[in-house]
Amino acid sequence: MPTGTTPDFSNVLATIDAQRDETLADLLRLIAQPSISAQDIGVRECAALELELLQKAGLEPRLLETSGHPMVYAEWLNVPGKPTVLFYGHYDVQPSDPLDLWYSPPFEPEIRDGRIYGRGVADNKAQHFSHIAAIRAWLTATGSLPVNVKVLLEGEEEVGSPHLDEAVAHYSDLLTADLVYTSDGPVTDVRYPEISFGVRGLLYIELRATGPNRDLHSGHWGGVSPNPIWTMVRALNTMLDDQNRILVDGFYDNVKEPTPGARAAMDALPFDVSEAIGRIGLTEMAPPADLPYADRIMAQPTLNIAGFTGGYGGPGSKTIIPSKATVKIDMRLVPDQHPDEIWEKVSVHIAKHAPDVEIVRLDGGMVPSYTPVEHPLAEVVRDAIEVGFGARPIDIPLVGGSLPDAAWTKTLGLPSFLVSYGDPAQANHSPNESYAVDRIRKGVVTSAALLDGLART
Amino acid sequence: MPTGTTPDFSNVLATIDAQRDETLADLLRLIAQPSISAQDIGVRECAALELELLQKAGLEPRLLETSGHPMVYAEWLNVPGKPTVLFYGHYDVQPSDPLDLWYSPPFEPEIRDGRIYGRGVADNKAQHFSHIAAIRAWLTATGSLPVNVKVLLEGEEEVGSPHLDEAVAHYSDLLTADLVYTSDGPVTDVRYPEISFGVRGLLYIELRATGPNRDLHSGHWGGVSPNPIWTMVRALNTMLDDQNRILVDGFYDNVKEPTPGARAAMDALPFDVSEAIGRIGLTEMAPPADLPYADRIMAQPTLNIAGFTGGYGGPGSKTIIPSKATVKIDMRLVPDQHPDEIWEKVSVHIAKHAPDVEIVRLDGGMVPSYTPVEHPLAEVVRDAIEVGFGARPIDIPLVGGSLPDAAWTKTLGLPSFLVSYGDPAQANHSPNESYAVDRIRKGVVTSAALLDGLART
């Protein structure tokens, strides 16, 4: 039986519409409550408001303390034998500066031209609140939920989720489920809803080459003193060939071929490459020439130089042999690479090919993560989106950027689906962040339909 | 007949000693007159004072206008058939900041512990004034000079002599001579006087690589967008091998082997390489390992990266593909390379091996210059130094840095000798620039002995 045609679900849809004004009012309250994790502004107050809204929805929420800001948690587990979905979201927001670029105050949400403006409205308050509103509608309409539900709202996503892995491991018994479902981020194109199935991982290192103990006159010392920039250029040149193939021994050992479903999804992406690279001023993608766009982002790791600093960089000429050169490198990793493994291999490479260069690991890195496009629950998710948005979603097997998705897929061993309820114009992290009002109902209906669909698996 | 034993020269020596207090007083006046060419402070006033001092010495000086600050010129050509020496010096000085590091005001010269402190005292006022004092002593003692003399004092040396080549070409009939003699710079070691016979030349370029039209998120675009830092690393890697051999076609075509005399002088240099590189924190010179110190500075050109700038250089991590990368390169050239020729060859190399990289020439460059160590007048200069300093000088066939010495050797086709009257402690261009009082007499005697010695060639 297709989703959305049961009498129960019809009642839920009617309730969603009946609660529409109150849902909007609650969301505006949530946006009005600052919760800037980076600056520790209003974070606990916002967690308290989330507790209130979850309670109003019919759950019995509580705080889960972490080494940082607390997580908000609620569960409803009254249909044993039915699947359990874990809704993940975050209640913290980015800092709101530069304030003078906002047309309305960031924590005084305002509706203009069909969009709600306010810091955090899209990232992530309207999106995760859609799940809470769907739960409320189900409980109001039927007195029950069709499946078991857990809600986990993090308070540190905007500072890089530094305690998420630790907390998920710590509360792993509590958080077990059949799938994790996240609504976050914008979509690429307003015409298509999207499901993302995974993310690239990340390793960030710094290379440091040292020459003389101070900058030297290149006339007096040129030819005598080694130059650390040349040392660095030679080291870098051992790491990547002119086709952007990474030359570190074993770097590709654990790269997993896309599954057939992922392959098909990659080949089917309705993405205009020429238009996209034209916007960044390019006419060609990086070598190799024959590699499709999707493979570059979803199947291949990268070794990117994010910065090279050495010697004089000002106007005109200065004739020195610099004392130091520093290079920052980020590596985007694909399933099933691991930042620890890659760190080891890159360290061995540098020790062997550039022993004079110091290598330092920055940050912990992120583990790449994926859920098979073929996973049976993916079809349930697609159906729910079709109910909510009226269109079949595009499958994105892997997102190029890095998120702590491995907390779900690796630490908990669960399938994880990232479904954005947002649109391309929402300006996450920027002034005048916004969210289209008509996407509130679409998101709430999608979440409600997901519960309905999961009940029939 | 060895220099310094003629009755005339004995009278000159006695006169130098008799004029000692007045020579010191005149020098202190000269130091007290600011002449900062970079800031146009007191330059013409200082030129006027130089005219006065040259007149007092017995000459009839005048200004030679240039496109910049004027040169001061005087000649005494009353012994036809005798050689003509052109004394070159500069009356302009470096800016004196940072002022708070001076123990006495830079333009209020003060004598402490046997040294005169003041901006420009060593670079170049006490040094070129030694020639003027020597001329004065000769004319006072004998009513004549033993050879013909020209004095040329530049007012723009401290801003890179931007109009010297042009002016020397313009006034080439006026400036013709048998040799050019310059006293400037410190010596390497207080134990040895030095004669320098040449300088390396210079070509300065900037390489610019461009990627996307703005910095990009390395997750969203990593693998898709080219990275200009990698483009630059590859371009640089085609230019120099790991033994520091320059790979640009024809780069070494015009490199002249040192003359036998230069070779012998290079091999005889009393220079403690381990001690010198130890002071800059190194235990080894740059490759190739078997290249002697003197060859690195005096026989080999260099291709030095003075700066590499691209992407993020601050603390911690930032994950971007930068939009631009810029590299500054200075090339030190040896006889008989020419910056125009090398510019052409490097441009061809970049066009061929890195066509995406833009190459720009900065500054005009400098032509390398040399006078053979074997030149017969060199022995006259050595003898004069022995009279003034009581020690045979060390021959430095080539100085590693770059000076507009080719104005004399190439434009005028003259032998050029650079003899420092200074010492290693004089702090040119730094606060508390100073000059040892006892070097005033040594310098004046050397200049006087040079005239005496030249008369007998």
Side-chain angles (χ1 to χ4, degrees):
Chain A
M1 186 184 292
T3 309
T5 60
T6 61
D8 273 358
F9 189 67
S10 297
N11 289 340
V12 170
L13 281 179
T15 306
I16 287 172
D17 290 334
Q19 293 178 334
R20 182 182 140 177
D21 289 351
E22 195 161 356
T23 296
L24 179 60
D26 286 341
L27 174 57
L28 295 178
R29 277 185 70 202
L30 194 52
I31 300 161
Q33 171 59 56
S35 53
I36 306 172
S37 50
Q39 301 165 342
D40 200 6
I41 296 177
V43 177
R44 288 229 166 225
E45 292 82 347
C46 191
L49 178 56
E50 295 281 5
L51 293 175
E52 182 192 328
L53 294 172
L54 283 160
Q55 201 157 30
K56 179 174 178 181
L59 305 179
E60 291 176 15
R62 57 189 164 111
L63 291 185
L64 298 185
E65 294 296 340
T66 73
S67 310
H69 297 306
M71 301 192 293
V72 174
Y73 177 76
E75 61 184 24
W76 190 97
L77 304 175
N78 299 327
V79 282
K82 289 288 183 185
T84 302
V85 56
L86 170 63
F87 286 113
Y88 163 73
H90 64 92
Y91 67 90
D92 64 325
V93 303
Q94 281 279 312
S96 47
D97 55 289
L99 280 175
D100 56 337
L101 297 184
W102 286 81
Y103 296 115
S104 52
F107 297 109
E108 296 175 23
E110 188 174 296
I111 300 175
R112 303 191 294 270
D113 297 330
R115 300 186 73 85
I116 309 175
Y117 288 85
R119 168 54 83 224
V121 57
D123 183 15
N124 174 251
K125 287 177 174 173
Q127 300 213 48
H128 77 248
F129 186 66
S130 299
H131 313 315
I132 298 174
I135 290 165
R136 179 168 177 237
W138 265 104
L139 288 171
T140 304
T142 70
S144 181
L145 296 179
V147 294
N148 301 299
V149 167
K150 299 179 177 183
V151 175
L152 183 71
L153 303 178
E154 192 191 351
E156 300 188 312
E157 201 269 353
E158 296 296 1
V159 291
S161 300
H163 304 104
L164 183 65
D165 279 337
E166 173 189 301
V168 166
H170 180 75
Y171 294 111
S172 60
D173 290 345
L174 196 66
L175 299 176
T176 192
D178 293 287
L179 72 158
V180 179
Y181 185 93
T182 304
S183 176
D184 201 359
V187 286
T188 310
D189 189 309
V190 72
R191 294 167 296 176
Y192 308 101
E194 292 174 0
I195 314 179
S196 299
F197 290 81
V199 293
R200 287 201 283 199
L202 183 68
L203 173 64
Y204 203 100
I205 63 169
E206 197 168 283
L207 300 180
R208 300 170 186 168
T210 303
N213 56 18
R214 56 185 170 85
D215 291 355
L216 298 178
H217 188 298
S218 72
H220 301 157
W221 294 98
V224 175
S225 171
N227 181 324
I229 298 181
W230 278 118
T231 305
M232 191 65 88
V233 165
R234 289 180 193 122
L236 292 171
N237 205 62
T238 67
M239 299 180 81
L240 197 74
D241 72 14
D242 61 3
Q243 294 300 302
N244 290 316
R245 182 95 188 153
I246 299 163
L247 302 174
V248 173
D249 262 2
F251 199 94
Y252 294 92
D253 281 358
N254 295 321
V255 170
K256 188 182 159 66
E257 277 289 303
T259 64
R263 178 76 264 164
M266 287 159 64
D267 293 343
L269 276 183
F271 184 71
D272 185 335
V273 173
S274 299
E275 189 275 331
I277 68 171
R279 268 189 288 121
I280 57 167
L282 299 175
T283 53
E284 290 179 355
M285 293 193 285
D290 60 352
L291 192 67
Y293 167 81
D295 290 68
R296 296 166 185 268
I297 299 291
M298 302 179 192
Q300 292 298 320
T302 66
L303 196 149
N304 176 60
I305 304 179
F308 192 136
T309 313
Y312 180 68
S317 59
K318 186 175 179 184
T319 50
I320 53 166
I321 300 169
S323 175
K324 290 180 187 307
T326 305
V327 161
K328 291 175 186 280
I329 291 179
D330 66 83
M331 283 160 269
R332 299 287 171 172
L333 310 178
V334 295
D336 288 322
Q337 296 179 302
H338 193 286
D340 295 346
E341 162 225 347
I342 296 297
W343 164 248
E344 176 66 27
K345 288 172 177 169
V346 174
S347 299
V348 166
H349 179 94
I350 292 295
K352 179 174 168 188
H353 294 279
D356 293 344
V357 172
E358 183 190 4
I359 176 170
V360 177
R361 183 173 179 174
L362 300 186
D363 307 338
M366 279 200 194
V367 179
S369 166
Y370 85 104
T371 294
V373 172
E374 296 87 345
H375 195 283
L377 292 178
E379 197 56 21
V380 182
V381 176
R382 290 186 195 100
D383 287 346
I385 291 171
E386 190 165 6
V387 171
F389 284 80
R392 296 295 288 174
I394 292 165
D395 288 345
I396 310 280
L398 209 79
V399 175
S402 303
L403 294 168
D405 195 52
W408 321 125
T409 60
K410 303 278 184 182
T411 308
L412 296 183
L414 301 180
S416 168
F417 305 95
L418 187 72
V419 178
S420 173
Y421 294 164
D423 68 275
Q426 63 194 33
N428 286 2
H429 297 206
S430 299
N432 304 305
E433 180 178 346
S434 68
Y435 194 79
V437 174
D438 71 0
R439 291 199 167 232
I440 298 174
R441 184 179 188 278
K442 288 174 176 166
V444 177
V445 171
T446 300
S447 298
L450 178 73
L451 301 185
D452 188 53
L454 285 172
R456 282 175 285 105
T457 59
Chain B
M1 189 185 288
T3 309
T5 61
T6 60
D8 273 358
F9 189 67
S10 295
N11 289 340
V12 170
L13 281 179
T15 306
I16 289 171
D17 289 334
Q19 293 178 333
R20 183 182 140 178
D21 288 354
E22 196 161 354
T23 297
L24 179 60
D26 286 342
L27 174 58
L28 294 177
R29 279 184 70 200
L30 195 53
I31 300 161
Q33 171 59 58
S35 54
I36 307 172
S37 49
Q39 301 165 342
D40 199 6
I41 296 177
V43 177
R44 289 227 166 225
E45 292 83 348
C46 191
L49 179 56
E50 295 279 7
L51 292 175
E52 181 192 328
L53 295 172
L54 282 160
Q55 202 156 30
K56 180 175 177 180
L59 306 178
E60 289 177 18
R62 58 190 164 114
L63 291 185
L64 298 185
E65 293 296 338
T66 74
S67 311
H69 298 306
M71 302 193 291
V72 174
Y73 177 74
E75 62 185 21
W76 191 97
L77 305 174
N78 300 324
V79 281
K82 288 288 183 185
T84 301
V85 56
L86 171 63
F87 286 113
Y88 164 74
H90 64 91
Y91 67 89
D92 65 324
V93 303
Q94 282 279 314
S96 48
D97 54 288
L99 280 175
D100 55 338
L101 296 184
W102 286 81
Y103 295 116
S104 51
F107 297 110
E108 298 175 21
E110 188 174 294
I111 299 175
R112 303 191 296 270
D113 298 330
R115 299 185 73 86
I116 308 173
Y117 289 84
R119 169 55 82 224
V121 56
D123 184 13
N124 173 254
K125 287 178 173 172
Q127 301 213 50
H128 77 249
F129 187 66
S130 300
H131 312 318
I132 299 174
I135 290 165
R136 179 169 178 237
W138 266 102
L139 288 171
T140 305
T142 70
S144 180
L145 297 177
V147 294
N148 300 299
V149 167
K150 298 179 178 183
V151 175
L152 182 72
L153 303 178
E154 191 191 351
E156 301 189 311
E157 201 270 354
E158 295 297 0
V159 290
S161 301
H163 304 103
L164 184 65
D165 280 337
E166 173 189 300
V168 166
H170 181 74
Y171 295 108
S172 60
D173 290 344
L174 196 67
L175 299 176
T176 189
D178 294 287
L179 74 158
V180 179
Y181 185 94
T182 304
S183 176
D184 200 1
V187 287
T188 311
D189 189 309
V190 72
R191 294 167 296 175
Y192 309 101
E194 291 173 1
I195 313 179
S196 299
F197 290 81
V199 294
R200 288 202 282 199
L202 182 68
L203 173 65
Y204 203 102
I205 64 169
E206 198 167 281
L207 299 179
R208 298 171 187 166
T210 303
N213 57 16
R214 57 184 170 86
D215 291 355
L216 298 177
H217 189 299
S218 72
H220 301 156
W221 293 100
V224 175
S225 171
N227 180 323
I229 298 182
W230 278 119
T231 305
M232 191 66 87
V233 164
R234 287 179 195 126
L236 291 171
N237 205 59
T238 66
M239 299 181 81
L240 196 75
D241 73 13
D242 63 3
Q243 294 299 301
N244 291 314
R245 183 96 187 151
I246 299 163
L247 302 174
V248 173
D249 263 0
F251 199 94
Y252 294 93
D253 282 357
N254 295 320
V255 170
K256 188 183 160 61
E257 275 290 301
T259 64
R263 179 76 263 165
M266 288 159 64
D267 293 344
L269 276 183
F271 185 72
D272 186 334
V273 173
S274 300
E275 189 275 333
I277 68 172
R279 268 188 288 123
I280 58 168
L282 301 174
T283 53
E284 289 178 358
M285 292 192 286
D290 60 354
L291 191 66
Y293 167 80
D295 291 67
R296 296 165 184 269
I297 300 290
M298 302 180 193
Q300 293 296 320
T302 65
L303 196 151
N304 177 61
I305 304 177
F308 192 136
T309 312
Y312 180 67
S317 59
K318 185 174 179 183
T319 50
I320 53 165
I321 300 170
S323 175
K324 290 179 187 305
T326 305
V327 161
K328 290 174 187 279
I329 292 179
D330 67 84
M331 285 160 268
R332 299 286 172 172
L333 310 179
V334 296
D336 286 323
Q337 296 179 302
H338 192 287
D340 295 346
E341 161 226 346
I342 296 297
W343 163 248
E344 177 65 26
K345 288 170 176 169
V346 174
S347 298
V348 167
H349 179 95
I350 292 296
K352 178 175 170 188
H353 294 280
D356 294 344
V357 172
E358 181 190 4
I359 176 169
V360 176
R361 184 173 178 174
L362 301 186
D363 307 339
M366 281 201 194
V367 179
S369 167
Y370 85 105
T371 295
V373 173
E374 295 89 342
H375 195 284
L377 291 178
E379 196 57 19
V380 181
V381 175
R382 289 185 195 102
D383 286 345
I385 292 170
E386 191 165 4
V387 172
F389 283 82
R392 295 298 286 175
I394 292 166
D395 288 346
I396 311 280
L398 210 80
V399 176
S402 304
L403 294 168
D405 195 51
W408 321 125
T409 60
K410 304 275 185 186
T411 308
L412 297 182
L414 303 180
S416 168
F417 304 95
L418 189 71
V419 179
S420 172
Y421 295 164
D423 69 275
Q426 65 195 33
N428 286 3
H429 298 205
S430 300
N432 304 305
E433 180 178 347
S434 67
Y435 193 79
V437 174
D438 70 1
R439 290 196 169 232
I440 299 174
R441 185 179 187 277
K442 287 175 177 168
V444 177
V445 172
T446 300
S447 299
L450 178 73
L451 301 185
D452 189 52
L454 286 171
R456 279 174 287 106
T457 58

